């Protein structure tokens, strides 16, 4: 009789260890291999798992072990992919199974499909061939069409990545519209001449920029390319992932979730808009796709290019200090100048409408007179205007004029936002953006019966209404997640802007990113001040990046010497650093100012942080639980002196959907010692938990490395 084969398998559970199973090569039709996807009996049900070890022994009695029941028609994860998973698991304090299984597309996790999958793949490949022959070429700028500055940048990138099997991180910093995309696509084009080479191109939110997808396709009509993001249909995503992991697809274009795709012949990585917070996963394993991509490039010894107009402070400092190559583009590619920045001080009376002014809106608070005049002028010039307001809905709160009633959510410590009837909801509703609760609008105050309920503040819907009223001849379009979920998808909305079917666009940050609009003459920003005084130390950095981005939508296609459009920002605090540096288009100045502030305060990137999140039935319990962790860390004499452990605090939105939430911030000047501390905490918590729920207090916990929102 052949000796038994034991495999260790990890499953999607917060359990540190793998499980031993027997492997029957004859029955499964294959010998075992590390990295294979299998199905196994687990408790009373079946789960999928990944083999992480093959041996002839087990600590357990062999006749007690169950057997692997099925093998996926999939080759094993390549060694580099497994190293990446192991690293992510360790660094982000997440079990290996909980790291690797969620990274596999749904299609492959349904073992009942495994017999049918090969047929599906063949059918899909056929369909794709047809599709590939009908490509159109949008935004293709060949190497010979690059301007001098771009050609110089491309040359530098090529020179520093000449050596094979060498890690290089490159920051490509350049104004919006300076032609960064054209540069890195030309770089990738050379890399891809080797027909076995694969490249990974990460973008922050691909469903918002199908334009980029078309652009990449235009550069590489003959290359096999797959697209991976959460908007891709389950089957297509399964196939795309398969083609990446088998080396068939040469170009892997995707959002943060693509960062964990196995890519056996990876030769280069590009992270576009590397500063974008969307690269950070905010639930489950809270990884940074950008950071993992850098680790990955380092691990497999390939170059990685980080592209941005407003690099993150982390990346910018690495470039400044020479850890990364630093390459810059300082002019706009199509000859236009940079948009002119105007700060509208909303406290100054001359900026405001007075009674009797022509064109004064009903609700005079919606937009200043100065901005209104600029919009009128821009309409006369037959240019489009973009109005940014970072809040969807009609108004953030409904209030009673007679008593103190406000539209609070009964399950959360937040207000219910008023949404007017529209394509999504037939009736106007109050809706909680945290727990999703929706209610009809009360006709009277629930507390005092007063019928005069007023809205406070403004969202996209209210601005849309006001603008339609003020410019009744203009075509107004609202672009936010509500609008894109109704009859038209986001792409259709953006197409209307591109096709010139709209005069004024009102939207949330969705309109700020990446789009290469050709006829925007004016950008207006409302309500930016809210983010100047956030408790989150990164809020200003984010606001600055967003303003640069949205400003960059203006005047992109100006002819030589023509103005690059205008951006108007309404603020009560024009003197604050964010606006002053923006006024001068001084990205480096802002970053260096921010770096000084962070250094003085000992904040990242001058230190490293982690959060322990806790949620439970009551805030007290969550706080007590975290105080326990703080006490436990104090006693760890080997590392406690290297740590700054703050007091546990309630979260900014303390209660969500009935759970009360708190967090504990742990800081250290040493990445290594922080890691050590987190591993100790993790071990201790696991011992006293069921999954991630504390046995004693029923508090649910999670450890997060490098949080970006404090
Ligand atoms: P970025 O990525 O820096 O925002 P893009 O690569 O998107 O810039 O370029 C901005 C615009 O300029 C695009 O419409 C692009 O097609 C165009 N463009 C880029 N490089 C050139 C060039 N060398 N000549 C003419 N147009 C260019
Ligand atoms: Zn009342
Ligand atoms: Zn709620």
């Amino acid at each position: 009789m052949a000796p038994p084969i034991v495999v260790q398998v990890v499953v999607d559970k917060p359990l540190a260890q793998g499980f031993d199973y027997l492997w029957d090569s004859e029955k499964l039709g294959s010998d075992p291999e590390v990295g294979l996807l299998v199905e196994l009996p687990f408790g009373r049900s079946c789960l999928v798992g990944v083999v992480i070890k093959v041996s002839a022994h087990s600590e357990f009695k062999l006749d007690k072990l169950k057997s692997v029941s099925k093998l996926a028609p999939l080759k094993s994860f390549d060694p580099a992919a497994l190293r990446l998973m192991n690293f992510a698991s360790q660094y982000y304090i997440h079990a290996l199974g909980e790291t690797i299984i969620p990274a596999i597309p749904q299609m492959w996790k349904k073992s009942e499909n495994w017999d049918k999958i090969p047929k599906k793949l063949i059918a899909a490949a056929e369909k794709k061939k047809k599709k590939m022959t009908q490509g159109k070429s949008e935004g293709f700028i060949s190497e010979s069409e690059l301007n001098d500055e771009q050609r110089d940048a491309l040359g530098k990138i090529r020179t520093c990545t000449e050596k094979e099997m060498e890690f290089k991180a490159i920051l490509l910093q350049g104004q919006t519209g300076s032609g960064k995309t054209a540069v890195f696509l030309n770089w990738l084009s050379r890399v891809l001449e080797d027909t076995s080479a694969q490249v990974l191109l990460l973008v922050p939110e691909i469903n918002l920029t199908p334009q980029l997808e078309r652009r990449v396709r235009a550069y590489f009509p003959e290359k096999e390319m797959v697209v991976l993001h959460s908007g891709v249909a389950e089957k297509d995503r399964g196939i795309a992932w398969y083609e990446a992991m088998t080396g068939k697809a040469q170009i892997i274009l995707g959002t943060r979730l693509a960062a964990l795709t196995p890519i056996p012949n990876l030769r280069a990585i590009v992270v576009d808009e590397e500063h974008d917070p969307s690269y950070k996963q905010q639930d489950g394993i809270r990884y940074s796709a950008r950071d993992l991509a850098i680790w990955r490039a380092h691990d497999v010894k390939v170059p990685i290019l980080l592209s941005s107009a407003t690099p993150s402070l982390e990346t910018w400092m690495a470039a400044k200090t020479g850890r990364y190559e630093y390459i810059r583009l300082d002019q706009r590619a199509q000859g236009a100048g940079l948009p002119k920045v105007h700060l509208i001080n909303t406290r100054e009376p001359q900026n405001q409408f007075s009674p009797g002014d022509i064109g004064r809106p009903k609700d005079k608070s919606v937009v200043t007179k100065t901005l209104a005049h600029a919009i009128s002028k821009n309409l006369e010039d037959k240019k489009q205007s973009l109005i940014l307001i970072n809040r969807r809905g009609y108004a953030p709160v409904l209030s009673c004029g007679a008593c103190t009633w406000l539209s609070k959510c009964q399950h959360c410590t937040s207000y219910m936002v008023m949404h007017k009837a529209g394509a999504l909801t037939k009736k106007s509703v109050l809706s909680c953006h945290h727990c999703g609760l929706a209610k009809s609008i009360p006709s009277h105050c629930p507390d005092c019966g007063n019928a005069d309920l007023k809205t406070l503040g403004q969202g996209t819907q209210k601005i849309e209404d006001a603008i339609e009223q003020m410019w009744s001849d203009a075509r107004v379009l609202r672009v936010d997640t509500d609008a894109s979920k109704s009859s038209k998808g986001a792409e259709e909305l953006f197409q209307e802007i591109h096709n010139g079917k709209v005069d004024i666009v009102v939207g949330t940050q969705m309109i700020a990113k990446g789009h290469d609009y050709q006829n925007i003459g004016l950008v207006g920003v409302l309500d930016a001040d809210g983010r100047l005084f956030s408790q989150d130390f990164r809020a200003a950095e984010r606001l600055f990046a967003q303003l640069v981005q949205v400003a960059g939508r203006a005047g992109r296609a100006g002819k030589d010497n023509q103005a690059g459009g205008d951006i108007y920002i309404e603020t009560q605090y024009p003197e604050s650093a964010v606006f002053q540096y923006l006024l001068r288009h001084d990205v480096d100045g802002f970053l260096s100012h921010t770096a000084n502030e962070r250094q003085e305060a000992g904040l990242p990137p001058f230190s490293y942080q982690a959060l322990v999140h806790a949620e439970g039935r009551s805030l007290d319990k969550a706080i007590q639980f975290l105080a326990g962790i703080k006490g436990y860390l104090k006693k760890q004499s080997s590392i406690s002196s290297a740590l700054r452990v703050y007091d546990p605090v309630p979260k900014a939105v303390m209660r969500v959907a009935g759970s009360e939430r708190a967090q504990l911030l742990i800081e250290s000047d040493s990445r290594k010692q922080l890691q050590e501390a987190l591993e100790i905490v993790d071990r201790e918590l696991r011992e006293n938990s069921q999954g991630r729920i504390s046995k004693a207090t029923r508090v649910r916990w999670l450890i997060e490395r490098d949080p970006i929102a404090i």
Side-chain angles (χ1 to χ4, degrees):
M1 217 181 89
I5 308 174
V6 177
V7 292
Q8 203 174 71
V9 182
V10 291
V11 297
D12 186 6
K13 301 258 176 208
L15 304 162
Q17 87 277 26
F19 296 91
D20 286 356
Y21 281 82
L22 292 171
W23 183 282
D24 182 339
S25 295
E26 209 169 305
K27 193 184 122 214
L28 295 167
S30 166
D31 286 336
E33 221 180 293
V34 168
L36 284 173
L37 179 66
V38 296
E39 179 205 61
L40 24 98
F42 194 90
R44 258 176 266 155
S45 60
C46 272
L47 288 180
V48 294
V50 170
V51 176
I52 56 160
K53 204 169 142 194
V54 179
S55 71
H57 313 280
S58 171
E59 285 175 38
F60 303 96
K61 283 218 176 96
L62 291 185
D63 56 2
K64 288 273 187 302
L65 294 186
K66 293 182 187 169
S67 298
V68 168
S69 47
K70 220 169 162 186
L71 177 59
L74 193 66
K75 66 175 223 156
S76 55
F77 279 68
D78 66 288
L82 289 170
R83 285 199 301 275
L84 174 69
M85 297 294 179
N86 268 304
F87 169 76
S89 153
Q90 199 187 11
Y91 186 79
Y92 292 107
I93 318 281
H94 233 66
L96 182 58
E98 291 177 290
T99 307
I100 195 165
I101 304 290
I104 300 171
Q106 216 53 41
M107 178 180 114
W108 290 100
K109 288 190 279 197
K110 294 186 179 153
S111 52
E112 66 275 16
N113 283 345
W114 286 353
D115 305 325
K116 297 175 240 154
I117 280 181
K119 277 184 221 129
K120 255 193 198 169
L121 286 175
I122 296 164
E126 291 294 317
K127 211 171 98 197
K128 206 158 164 195
K129 270 199 199 115
K130 277 189 217 143
K131 221 161 114 192
M132 270 170 63
T133 48
Q134 36 170 275
K136 42 178 174 172
S137 66
E138 184 176 316
F140 173 68
I141 309 271
S142 69
E143 194 172 332
S144 60
E145 292 168 282
L146 294 180
N147 63 35
D148 291 349
E149 200 186 37
Q150 286 172 311
R151 193 162 317 137
D152 188 41
L154 179 60
K156 282 187 187 146
I157 297 170
R158 287 208 176 122
T159 309
C160 78
T161 58
E162 223 164 25
K163 256 211 215 139
E164 268 179 50
M165 292 296 285
E166 189 180 54
F167 166 70
K168 258 290 157 358
I170 304 158
L171 168 60
L172 178 61
Q173 181 182 340
Q175 312 279 15
T176 52
S178 58
K180 300 182 288 299
T181 314
V183 170
F184 65 66
L185 289 178
N186 274 293
W187 173 55
L188 292 182
S189 154
R190 176 83 62 87
V191 175
L192 287 167
E193 278 172 12
D194 171 354
T195 53
S196 69
Q198 294 180 286
V199 302
L200 172 63
L201 174 49
L202 292 177
V203 296
E205 284 176 54
I206 204 170
N207 49 334
L208 302 184
T209 60
Q211 193 187 354
L212 181 79
E213 186 187 332
R214 285 196 295 273
R215 214 162 145 192
V216 178
R217 286 217 196 261
Y219 271 79
F220 309 106
E222 258 101 70
K223 299 280 174 194
E224 180 105 27
M225 161 170 151
V226 293
V227 178
L228 283 163
H229 59 82
S230 59
V232 175
E234 187 181 312
K235 190 179 122 206
D236 295 337
R237 192 158 140 196
I239 291 163
W241 183 82
Y242 175 82
E243 302 207 321
M245 79 108 66
T246 50
K248 255 186 85 192
Q250 277 201 272
I251 304 161
I252 294 94
L253 171 63
T255 53
R256 63 168 181 263
L257 64 85
L260 288 166
T261 309
I263 306 173
N265 301 319
L266 184 63
R267 291 298 147 71
I269 304 179
V270 169
V271 183
D272 195 17
E273 309 290 0
E274 68 86 28
H275 65 279
D276 198 296
S278 313
Y279 282 122
K280 180 75 171 18
Q281 170 85 16
Q282 290 294 47
D283 53 31
I285 170 165
R286 296 184 164 211
Y287 62 90
S288 152
R290 175 200 58 207
D291 295 352
L292 279 183
I294 296 170
W295 187 88
R296 188 173 188 174
H298 186 265
D299 178 60
V300 297
K301 304 192 178 62
V302 301
I304 179 167
L305 182 141
L306 308 164
S307 170
S308 177
T310 51
S312 63
L313 194 56
E314 281 78 0
T315 301
W316 183 79
M317 283 185 43
K320 279 274 178 195
T321 55
R323 265 197 302 132
Y324 295 177
E325 297 290 328
Y326 196 5
I327 298 174
R328 306 188 48 136
L329 293 177
D330 289 313
Q331 291 147 24
R332 282 188 129 181
Q334 294 180 318
L338 284 171
K340 185 162 168 34
V341 181
H342 310 260
L343 301 175
I344 303 176
N345 187 340
T346 53
R347 294 196 234 202
E348 286 177 3
Q350 75 265 24
N351 288 326
Q352 297 291 359
F353 281 104
S354 336
D357 277 347
I358 302 168
R360 178 176 188 255
K362 261 192 281 179
D363 176 352
K364 80 171 183 76
S365 64
V366 288
V367 7
T368 56
K369 183 160 89 177
T370 311
L371 178 55
H373 282 178
I375 294 174
S376 295
K377 166 88 178 28
N378 196 51
L379 279 169
E380 278 164 29
D381 293 347
K382 302 263 178 300
K383 296 256 177 158
Q384 296 170 301
S385 305
L386 216 61
I387 309 298
L388 175 74
I389 171 151
N390 261 318
R391 194 184 288 122
R392 64 195 172 87
Y394 188 81
V397 196
L398 194 63
S399 75
C400 170
C403 74
T404 57
W405 181 83
L406 293 167
S407 56
K408 282 191 186 132
C409 175
Q410 67 204 74
H411 305 302
C412 310
T413 41
S414 65
Y415 296 106
M416 295 187 80
V417 178
M418 180 180 158
H419 287 257
K420 277 202 19 176
L424 264 196
T425 48
K426 288 211 183 69
K427 276 176 26 190
S428 296
V429 290
L430 287 174
S431 135
C432 173
H433 289 184
H434 294 279
C435 72
L437 179 71
K439 281 180 155 182
S440 52
I441 309 252
S443 56
H444 295 81
C445 170
D447 285 358
C448 75
N450 167 31
D452 184 22
L453 297 180
K454 290 194 174 71
T455 57
L456 295 181
Q458 53 200 34
T460 44
Q461 284 182 325
K462 192 171 189 175
I463 300 300
E464 179 192 20
D465 275 8
I467 285 189
E468 276 176 343
Q469 178 231 324
M470 290 169 74
W471 291 278
S472 49
D473 293 338
R475 297 162 299 175
V476 180
L477 178 74
R478 176 165 53 86
V479 180
D480 55 22
T481 48
D482 298 328
S484 70
K485 264 189 232 139
S486 61
S487 57
K488 292 174 186 166
E491 167 154 29
E492 224 173 306
L493 298 174
F494 294 130
Q495 273 314 325
E496 288 185 29
I497 308 174
H498 282 292
N499 297 341
K501 293 199 174 129
V502 186
D503 301 311
I504 305 176
V505 185
V506 177
T508 55
Q509 52 90 24
M510 269 179 83
I511 59 173
K513 288 185 190 175
H515 292 275
D516 194 14
Y517 304 120
Q518 297 288 311
N519 193 34
I520 307 280
L522 175 151
V523 172
V525 181
L526 311 181
D527 276 2
D529 287 351
R531 286 172 297 158
L532 283 177
F533 307 105
S534 166
Q535 57 163 0
D536 187 341
F537 68 85
R538 281 193 180 85
E541 186 185 345
R542 241 175 256 149
L543 175 61
F544 184 80
Q546 192 188 43
L547 293 175
V548 170
Q549 278 301 322
V550 73
R553 299 314 108 210
R556 286 172 81 84
K559 299 285 166 291
D560 291 300
N561 301 325
Q562 196 176 312
D566 294 274
I567 173 168
Y568 291 84
I569 299 167
E570 294 189 345
T571 173
Q572 291 193 46
Y573 309 95
E575 68 287 350
S576 56
V578 170
F579 298 138
Q580 286 301 316
Y581 285 105
L582 189 74
L583 202 56
R584 301 192 293 270
H585 297 286
D586 189 0
V587 174
D588 299 277
F590 176 76
L591 286 167
S592 121
H593 161 85
T594 309
N596 287 338
E597 278 187 348
R598 299 269 178 90
Q599 187 162 27
E600 271 168 31
L603 287 168
F606 299 91
S607 66
Y608 302 94
Q609 293 184 326
L611 284 176
V612 186
H613 302 274
E615 63 176 73
R617 279 282 176 77
S618 78
L619 179 64
D620 281 353
K621 277 207 169 140
I623 296 266
Q624 259 171 38
F625 172 83
L626 295 173
I629 296 174
K630 179 174 176 168
Y632 182 75
L633 274 173
K634 266 224 173 93
K635 283 188 278 171
Q636 309 302 311
S637 51
S638 61
I639 46 157
S640 63
S641 63
L643 304 174
R644 290 184 292 279
V645 187
Y646 293 83
D647 284 331
V649 290
K651 293 204 182 220
V653 179
M654 188 274 285
R655 190 179 337 105
V656 167
S659 297
E660 307 212 325
R661 317 178 312 159
Q663 66 188 32
L664 177 73
L665 177 62
I666 306 171
E667 214 172 70
S668 175
D669 297 334
S670 149
R671 205 190 267 270
K672 202 165 144 266
Q673 281 168 312
L674 179 60
Q675 180 76 28
E676 223 175 287
L678 297 179
E679 282 171 11
I680 291 173
V681 169
D682 185 55
R683 216 172 304 134
E684 171 69 11
L685 290 180
R686 268 171 208 288
E687 255 167 43
N688 299 299
S689 302
Q690 221 167 6
R692 281 203 181 76
I693 298 179
S694 146
K695 283 181 196 152
T697 59
R698 309 307 296 164
V699 165
R700 178 185 288 278
W701 55 271
L702 185 80
I703 299 175
E704 177 178 18
R705 216 36 229 275
D706 306 332
I708 59 161
I710 303 281

